[in-house]
Coordinates of all heavy atoms in Angstrom, one line a residue:
D2 N 5.8 11.8 -4.6 CA 6.8 11.0 -5.2 C 6.6 9.6 -4.7 O 6.0 9.3 -3.7 CB 8.2 11.5 -4.9 CG 8.6 12.8 -5.5 OD1 8.0 13.1 -6.6 OD2 9.3 13.6 -4.9
P3 N 7.2 8.6 -5.5 CA 7.0 7.2 -5.0 C 7.6 7.0 -3.6 O 8.7 7.5 -3.3 CB 7.8 6.4 -6.0 CG 7.8 7.2 -7.3 CD 7.8 8.6 -6.8
I4 N 6.8 6.3 -2.8 CA 7.2 6.0 -1.4 C 7.5 4.5 -1.3 O 6.6 3.7 -1.6 CB 6.0 6.4 -0.4 CG1 5.7 7.9 -0.6 CG2 6.4 6.1 1.0 CD1 4.3 8.2 -0.1
A5 N 8.7 4.2 -0.8 CA 9.0 2.8 -0.6 C 8.3 2.1 0.5 O 8.5 2.5 1.7 CB 10.5 2.6 -0.4
V6 N 7.3 1.3 0.2 CA 6.5 0.6 1.2 C 7.0 -0.8 1.5 O 7.0 -1.2 2.7 CB 5.0 0.6 0.8 CG1 4.1 -0.2 1.8 CG2 4.4 2.0 0.6
D7 N 7.3 -1.5 0.5 CA 7.7 -2.9 0.6 C 9.1 -3.1 -0.2 O 9.1 -2.9 -1.4 CB 6.6 -3.8 -0.1 CG 6.9 -5.2 0.2 OD1 8.0 -5.7 0.3 OD2 5.9 -6.0 0.2
S8 N 10.1 -3.4 0.5 CA 11.4 -3.5 -0.1 C 11.7 -4.8 -0.8 O 12.7 -4.9 -1.6 CB 12.5 -3.3 1.0 OG 12.4 -4.3 1.9
Q9 N 10.8 -5.8 -0.7 CA 11.1 -7.1 -1.2 C 10.1 -7.6 -2.2 O 10.4 -8.4 -3.1 CB 11.2 -8.2 -0.1 CG 12.4 -7.9 0.8 CD 12.5 -9.0 1.9 OE1 11.5 -9.5 2.3 NE2 13.8 -9.2 2.4
D10 N 8.8 -7.3 -2.0 CA 7.8 -7.9 -2.8 C 7.0 -6.9 -3.6 O 7.1 -5.7 -3.4 CB 6.8 -8.7 -1.9 CG 7.5 -9.8 -1.2 OD1 8.0 -10.7 -1.9 OD2 7.6 -9.8 0.1
S11 N 6.1 -7.4 -4.5 CA 5.3 -6.6 -5.4 C 4.0 -6.3 -4.7 O 3.3 -7.2 -4.2 CB 5.0 -7.3 -6.7 OG 4.0 -6.6 -7.4
L12 N 3.6 -5.0 -4.6 CA 2.2 -4.7 -4.1 C 1.2 -5.0 -5.1 O 1.3 -4.6 -6.3 CB 2.2 -3.2 -3.7 CG 3.1 -2.8 -2.5 CD1 3.1 -1.3 -2.4 CD2 2.7 -3.4 -1.2
T13 N 0.2 -5.8 -4.7 CA -0.8 -6.3 -5.7 C -2.1 -5.7 -5.6 O -2.9 -5.8 -6.6 CB -0.9 -7.9 -5.4 OG1 -1.3 -8.1 -4.1 CG2 0.4 -8.6 -5.7
S14 N -2.5 -5.0 -4.5 CA -3.8 -4.5 -4.4 C -3.8 -3.4 -3.3 O -3.0 -3.5 -2.4 CB -4.8 -5.6 -4.0 OG -6.1 -5.1 -3.9
V15 N -4.7 -2.5 -3.4 CA -4.9 -1.4 -2.3 C -6.3 -1.0 -2.2 O -7.1 -1.1 -3.2 CB -4.0 -0.2 -2.7 CG1 -4.4 0.5 -4.0 CG2 -4.0 0.8 -1.5
S16 N -6.8 -0.7 -1.0 CA -8.1 -0.3 -0.8 C -8.2 0.8 0.2 O -7.5 0.8 1.3 CB -9.0 -1.5 -0.2 OG -10.3 -1.1 0.0
C17 N -8.9 1.9 -0.1 CA -8.9 3.2 0.7 C -10.4 3.5 1.0 O -11.0 4.2 0.1 CB -8.2 4.3 0.0 SG -6.5 4.0 -0.4
P18 N -10.9 3.2 2.1 CA -12.3 3.5 2.4 C -12.5 5.0 2.9 O -13.6 5.6 2.8 CB -12.7 2.6 3.5 CG -11.4 2.3 4.2 CD -10.4 2.3 3.2
T19 N -11.4 5.6 3.4 CA -11.4 7.0 3.8 C -10.1 7.7 3.3 O -9.2 7.0 3.0 CB -11.5 7.2 5.3 OG1 -10.3 6.8 5.9 CG2 -12.7 6.3 5.9
P20 N -10.1 9.0 3.3 CA -8.9 9.7 2.9 C -7.7 9.5 3.8 O -6.5 9.7 3.4 CB -9.3 11.2 3.0 CG -10.8 11.2 2.8 CD -11.2 10.0 3.5
T21 N -7.9 9.0 5.0 CA -6.8 8.8 6.0 C -6.6 7.3 6.3 O -5.9 7.0 7.3 CB -6.9 9.6 7.2 OG1 -8.2 9.3 7.9 CG2 -6.9 11.1 6.9
F22 N -7.1 6.4 5.5 CA -6.9 5.0 5.8 C -6.9 4.2 4.5 O -7.8 4.2 3.7 CB -8.0 4.4 6.7 CG -7.8 3.0 7.1 CD1 -7.1 2.7 8.3 CD2 -8.3 2.0 6.4 CE1 -6.9 1.3 8.6 CE2 -8.1 0.6 6.7 CZ -7.4 0.3 7.9
C23 N -5.8 3.4 4.3 CA -5.7 2.5 3.2 C -5.0 1.3 3.7 O -4.1 1.3 4.6 CB -4.9 3.1 2.1 SG -5.6 4.6 1.3
V24 N -5.2 0.2 3.0 CA -4.5 -1.1 3.2 C -4.0 -1.6 1.8 O -4.8 -1.7 0.9 CB -5.3 -2.2 3.9 CG1 -4.6 -3.5 3.9 CG2 -5.6 -1.7 5.3
A25 N -2.7 -1.9 1.7 CA -2.2 -2.5 0.6 C -1.7 -3.9 0.9 O -1.2 -4.1 2.1 CB -1.0 -1.7 0.0
V26 N -1.7 -4.8 0.0 CA -1.2 -6.2 0.2 C -0.2 -6.5 -0.9 O -0.1 -5.9 -2.0 CB -2.3 -7.2 0.2 CG1 -3.2 -7.0 1.4 CG2 -3.1 -7.2 -1.1
D27 N 0.7 -7.5 -0.6 CA 1.7 -7.9 -1.5 C 1.7 -9.4 -1.8 O 1.0 -10.2 -1.2 CB 3.1 -7.4 -1.0 CG 3.6 -8.2 0.2 OD1 3.1 -9.3 0.6 OD2 4.6 -7.8 0.8

């Protein structure tokens, strides 16, 4: 289900090099 990551801003990009590591930016 959707997980609230950022309560104020829009997430604009995400990158996942491995199954257990991702970075998203807003």
Side-chain angles (χ1 to χ4, degrees):
D2 292 329
I4 302 156
V6 174
D7 189 332
S8 61
Q9 295 181 330
D10 297 296
S11 171
L12 294 172
T13 56
S14 181
V15 62
S16 181
C17 302
T19 73
T21 57
F22 183 89
C23 299
V24 171
V26 295
D27 70 12

